[in-house]
Amino acid sequence: LLTTRLCLLLGIEHPVIQGPLGGPFEIGPELVAAVSNAGGLGSIATTVRTPDQVRADIAAVRQLTGDRPFAVNVTRRPLDEAIVGAVLEEGPAVLSLALGDPGDLVQRAHEAGCLFMEQVTTVRQAVEAADAGVDVMVAQGGEGGGFSGSVGTLALVPQVVDAVAPIPVVAAGGITDGRGLAAALMLGAEGVNVGTRFLASAEARVSDEWKLAVIRAEAEDAVKVDFAEHLVPRPSEGGWLTVPRALRTTFIDTWLGRASDVAPRADELGAELMTALGEGRAHEYLPLAGQSAGGIHEILPAAEIVRGIVTEAEQALARFVAVRDEDG
Ligand SMILES: Cc1cc2nc3c(=O)[nH]c(=O)nc-3n(C[C@H](O)[C@H](O)[C@H](O)COP(=O)(O)O)c2cc1C
């Protein structure tokens, strides 16, 4: 059985984390629960949720999973203190943060009995987060879906591993299958954090059109949406600037490379965008997804995705050993 220190720390069987999938749409507790029940770690996103909704999400996941571990994610866009308070009261196994300096959140999480997982996109952020005492680091490459930086996963992961050892690092961005997990382990990571692959799962409550767009996309259709800074909330602190990656739509094609034209119309276009996302029409506007979309060809139940990643990784690692033995 493929077990890493990450599994022991988080109390999970497989080193596979479902990355939080947040926004003005509802991903639903079924996906989170399915991943945790399959032995991975599911993540509840809190973006555009109220504290009461977050409490209900946590209760729903607990109802479906019993006492299995899961994560709840917050972001600094800006940080919503009411949501942080609700999450810490509920005390999930893991509090995860993206898009900002952890600050005193690490200590508060520890006081509430939660482990703290920080997503970083540069080595500098990783070093700062290590100094703040985080328990697990997610190194997210720029090919990832949602908000990511500019450094690719293959370059970033080993650099973060070296910079923060012995803190366990999880690789994110571009990973869909067991080859990705095997590669991540070779880079020194102890697991993977996967977003787009789980977005196109049976349990994710997003529209079928969004899932089908993932299935049909080529990797190069997942573009960095350079004008999004004018339309969606951004991290409130310097040094954590990221640009969302989404599948091309008519809306994106119309405005890509034209941030200066979008800026004066930010209110009108931003309202149009948020309405569309809230109505389940992300696929017409901003279907967040990573370059990994090019390698996703079917919509599967989340448990099958977890099992596939683990089995394929074991096979990939065994193949590598077998080839080496043949050589010599
Ligand atoms: C639709 C969507 C929404 C996301 N929302 C969040 C979020 O709220 N918080 C967060 O930390 N990461 C978020 N992410 C990033 C994912 O959790 C994950 O880190 C990323 O998708 C990994 O790259 P991959 O898509 O190549 O697997 C989101 C990604 C997508 C595709």
Side-chain angles (χ1 to χ4, degrees), residues 1-2 14-16 174-186 192 194 197-198 295-298 300-321:
L1 192 71
L2 210 169
H14 307 304
V16 178
I175 297 162
T176 54
D177 60 21
R179 292 169 296 183
L181 171 55
L185 297 175
M186 290 294 135
V192 290
V194 177
R197 175 64 278 205
F198 285 116
I296 299 171
H297 308 298
E298 52 185 339
L300 295 174
E304 216 171 295
I305 295 172
V306 174
R307 274 198 300 276
I309 291 176
V310 174
T311 309
E312 287 162 18
E314 285 167 349
Q315 287 166 353
L317 294 167
R319 218 166 37 234
F320 171 74
V321 172

Side-chain angles (χ1 to χ4, degrees), residues 17-23 25 27 43-48 73-75 77 96-99 119 138-148 153 171-176 193-199 206 210 214 245-246 286-293 296:
I17 299 174
Q18 168 252 318
L21 301 167
F25 52 84
I27 201 75
S43 304
I44 296 175
T46 63
T47 318
V48 201
N73 173 258
V74 293
T75 65
R77 292 192 301 163
S96 73
L97 175 72
L99 310 177
Q119 186 207 91
V138 177
Q140 166 135 312
E143 53 269 67
F147 287 76
S148 60
T153 306
I175 297 162
T176 54
N193 179 84
V194 177
T196 304
R197 175 64 278 205
F198 285 116
L199 183 71
V206 299
W210 192 352
V214 171
R245 192 179 283 284
L286 192 73
L288 296 177
Q291 292 177 335
S292 57
I296 299 171

